[in-house]
Amino acid sequence: MVQGGAKRLRTGWWWATGGLGRNALRTSAVGAVSATLVAGTFVGLAPAAQAAAPSVRFVDITGDGGTTLKANVVTPADADGSREYPLLVLPTSWGLPQVEYLAQAQKLADSGYVVVSYNVRGFWQSGGSIEVAGPPDIADASKVIDWALANTPADARKVGMAGLSYGAGISLLAAAHDKRVKAVAALSGWADLIDSIYSGRTQHAQAAALLDGAGEITGRPSPELREIFKNFFASNLAKEQDMIDWGKKRSPATYVDQINSNGAAVMLANAWGDSIFPPNQYADFYEKLTGPKRLELRPGDHATTEITGLLGLPNDVWTDTERWFDHYLKGTDNGIDREQPVQLMSRSSGGYEGYPDWKSVSATSRKIALSGTSTIHTNVNSGADGGTIFLSSVLDQVAKLPPMASIPLLPRRWAAVWQSEKYGAAQQVRGTARLHTTVTSTKESGTLVAYLYDVGPLGLGKLVSNAPYTFHGRTPGKPFGVDLELFSTAYDVPAGHRLALVVDTVDPLYIEHNPSGAQLTFSSPRHDPSYVSVPLREQ
């Protein structure tokens, strides 16, 4: 059943890519994306059209092992060889061409930076294969810095790296391996690759399928990457540890001690609803950093909070990115180091909230007891689910319309439901909700998905958070404890509403591992009661 579902996911991507041919699609797509981004650059810079424009050059840079990396270099308009400028290196996102950052690069060059953006290996016209931020990618970043210091008026003492998504991960990894990197802005990136797409020992199917499909269209996956995706979608437990080791090697969290030792100033920005890199793993990583650091979390999905900035339009994330580099590379006293380092925006209301650290976000918590015993059947979607990748979180970001479900109408055969009392005052959920329960399965493997809903007077539930959990090798009929962190969020529950915890076994976002006919029983032993702990902002 699992393998069949995985096959359908991948067949959809091959249907989309195979009919026209991957090379033809890649050529067409690069033209369309380039045209869009370049047009956005000119639109965004139109008010300054009469000013002297920064110099833009398209160059080839020799990366690790002689691989050609396609790049562009933007230098300040007044660069005449008489002075040096701070250097910013921007690796591209997964599947996007080298003009991705051109609008921001020109703005940064106007502010006195040399900016080098390059297409990472394996994508578009750069050489090599997609290594997923493996050792060749990290070596490439250092080669690009070498080239910039030798061929531009860049200051070797003032090197920064920034990127969106894939570029964010590479920038963090480079800061761990290259001491010349003094500051990083990692936007919509990852710190723990496995915790991002395999959290709760569950494959995030839609997220992985998107990455797989985009890689096939716009790049050349390495044989190792194809093998990883094959085993991932096939739920090949014999290869699980190999996959985990592969992911850990590509996770900045693995090298946090090196990042701390090197002393780079690190800014992290992400969205609450990021479908590919959920915010939990960024928040955990942030807490382990000991140098100058900043964490920003906003409503939205993967890269949606930064995208207007790529078109040259006003954008808070990119504004703070420039302020970060101005302070830590130029030494500008702009106050960013004196602001509360954790900046959050609630999904329910506008405006930023500042906190001294991540732990202070959830100053208190309230437990909802999951009393009694509830047995559910597997393999059927109850109607509670996490929505659709990108679409659901974008609707939440733009229109405050998260995935919804009628809680009273959820079939109890396939969904276990517990609700709190009605709250007399608004509850500001901030941080990471935690589920603790006892499960008894009729089979040795299984998957459950937990959802936290804001339930209005008519029983309509709006999704606050969710997370999957998969188990293998359990003794049928023997109870075992489950502790599960739901994805971190910031959501305001209105007065008069309830919170509901729903658990079922099927969600389109994830690959499930429930054998046919399996049942799951949730209980709350007297010596170990079940609950969901909801983090709340101090009132």
Side-chain angles (χ1 to χ4, degrees):
M1 180 176 186
V2 172
Q3 293 187 11
K7 184 177 181 180
R8 286 193 294 275
L9 276 169
R10 301 203 72 197
T11 300
W13 281 112
W14 283 110
W15 178 263
T17 61
L20 293 176
R22 204 158 64 241
N23 290 333
L25 271 172
R26 186 185 297 128
T27 302
S28 300
V30 72
V33 173
S34 299
T36 301
L37 291 172
V38 171
T41 298
F42 290 123
V43 169
L45 298 178
Q50 295 181 351
S55 167
V56 181
R57 291 186 292 143
F58 290 86
V59 300
D60 289 351
I61 296 176
T62 302
D64 185 56
T67 299
T68 298
L69 305 174
K70 296 292 183 177
N72 58 67
V73 183
V74 187
T75 54
D78 61 355
D80 58 7
S82 63
R83 56 167 293 195
E84 293 180 331
Y85 302 86
L87 169 66
L88 295 180
V89 174
L90 312 180
T92 52
S93 302
W94 185 276
L96 287 185
Q98 57 167 309
V99 295
E100 174 186 5
Y101 303 115
L102 197 53
Q104 286 301 321
Q106 291 189 316
K107 286 187 173 185
L108 290 164
D110 276 336
S111 298
Y113 292 91
V114 171
V115 185
V116 180
S117 174
Y118 70 97
N119 240 129
V120 292
R121 64 171 54 224
F123 284 101
W124 299 106
Q125 305 308 313
S126 285
S129 301
I130 301 173
E131 301 289 345
V132 195
D137 290 302
I138 310 312
D140 284 345
S142 292
K143 291 287 188 181
V144 172
I145 293 173
D146 292 342
W147 183 93
L149 295 178
N151 294 278
T152 73
D155 188 338
R157 300 165 301 171
K158 301 176 180 179
V159 177
M161 289 192 66
L164 183 63
S165 185
Y166 194 38
I170 290 175
S171 295
L172 288 171
L173 287 162
H177 291 85
D178 194 323
K179 294 182 179 181
R180 294 174 297 181
V181 179
K182 303 301 182 184
V184 172
L187 317 179
S188 287
W190 77 92
D192 189 324
L193 192 56
I194 294 300
D195 198 39
S196 295
I197 62 173
Y198 194 56
S199 71
R201 209 177 176 186
T202 308
Q203 296 98 324
H204 295 210
Q206 289 186 16
L210 178 67
L211 295 173
D212 187 16
E216 291 287 355
I217 294 172
T218 63
R220 299 167 300 281
S222 67
E224 181 183 32
L225 176 57
R226 285 201 168 100
E227 183 68 15
I228 288 290
F229 272 129
K230 174 185 173 183
N231 293 326
F232 181 91
F233 287 117
S235 303
N236 187 349
L237 290 179
K239 297 292 184 179
E240 182 182 38
Q241 191 58 51
D242 290 343
M243 182 188 73
I244 291 172
D245 293 342
W246 176 89
K248 292 299 183 185
K249 191 175 184 178
R250 290 159 169 79
S251 296
T254 302
Y255 310 100
V256 66
D257 289 343
Q258 291 174 226
I259 294 175
N260 290 334
S261 176
N262 291 345
V266 178
M267 171 180 154
L268 306 171
N270 204 356
W272 294 119
D274 195 314
S275 302
I276 300 177
F277 305 129
N280 296 48
Q281 44 92 36
Y282 246 19
D284 291 343
F285 178 67
Y286 172 84
E287 285 292 274
K288 296 173 184 175
L289 293 171
T290 58
K293 58 183 179 178
R294 183 179 177 91
L295 175 65
E296 300 185 354
L297 293 167
R298 301 171 174 84
D301 205 312
H302 185 67
T304 62
T305 61
E306 299 94 350
I307 194 168
T308 55
L310 295 181
L311 301 178
L313 300 174
N315 182 278
D316 287 357
V317 185
W318 287 103
T319 296
D320 286 348
T321 294
E322 184 172 344
R323 293 175 64 224
W324 189 253
F325 287 130
D326 282 351
H327 181 74
Y328 287 103
L329 293 184
K330 289 183 178 179
T332 304
D333 185 11
N334 56 17
I336 197 167
D337 58 318
R338 296 188 294 275
E339 295 173 1
Q340 296 277 40
V342 176
Q343 294 286 321
L344 311 182
M345 180 181 287
S346 169
R347 292 163 49 202
S348 308
S349 56
Y352 289 96
E353 303 167 1
Y355 300 87
D357 50 41
W358 176 249
K359 293 177 182 177
S360 300
V361 172
S362 353
T364 185
S365 63
R366 174 175 290 186
K367 288 184 178 180
I368 300 172
L370 310 181
S371 57
T373 299
S374 182
T375 298
I376 62 174
H377 295 252
T378 64
N379 306 118
V380 174
N381 189 339
S382 70
D385 62 53
T388 303
I389 187 172
F390 285 122
L391 176 61
S392 298
S393 291
V394 170
L395 282 173
D396 187 34
Q397 176 185 0
V398 175
K400 294 182 171 56
L401 290 175
M404 290 181 277
S406 175
I407 304 304
L409 297 181
L410 290 175
R412 273 30 178 196
R413 179 179 175 84
W414 296 300
V417 180
W418 298 267
Q419 295 192 73
S420 72
E421 75 283 0
K422 286 185 179 180
Y423 295 117
Q427 305 293 300
Q428 294 182 309
V429 179
R430 299 290 186 273
T432 308
R434 292 173 170 83
L435 167 66
H436 174 74
T437 190
T438 296
V439 177
T440 305
S441 174
T442 59
K443 305 289 184 179
E444 66 172 16
S445 295
T447 296
L448 60 92
V449 186
Y451 309 89
L452 187 65
Y453 282 100
D454 160 26
V455 185
L458 299 179
L460 184 64
K462 294 183 176 181
L463 187 65
V464 177
S465 185
N466 79 99
Y469 180 91
T470 293
F471 58 89
H472 297 287
R474 293 292 179 177
T475 303
K478 182 178 181 180
F480 60 94
V482 169
D483 289 287
L484 175 63
E485 288 191 350
L486 277 62
F487 300 134
S488 303
T489 194
Y491 183 97
D492 300 341
V493 179
H497 285 213
R498 306 172 187 267
L499 282 171
L501 192 282
V502 177
V503 180
D504 72 2
T505 63
V506 175
D507 190 307
L509 290 173
Y510 313 114
I511 290 179
E512 50 95 0
H513 299 261
N514 295 298
S516 180
Q519 297 178 33
L520 301 180
T521 296
F522 301 91
S523 58
S524 183
R526 181 175 299 177
H527 67 279
D528 186 19
S530 296
Y531 61 86
V532 58
S533 177
V534 180
L536 299 174
R537 182 186 184 191
E538 189 171 9
Q539 301 296 309

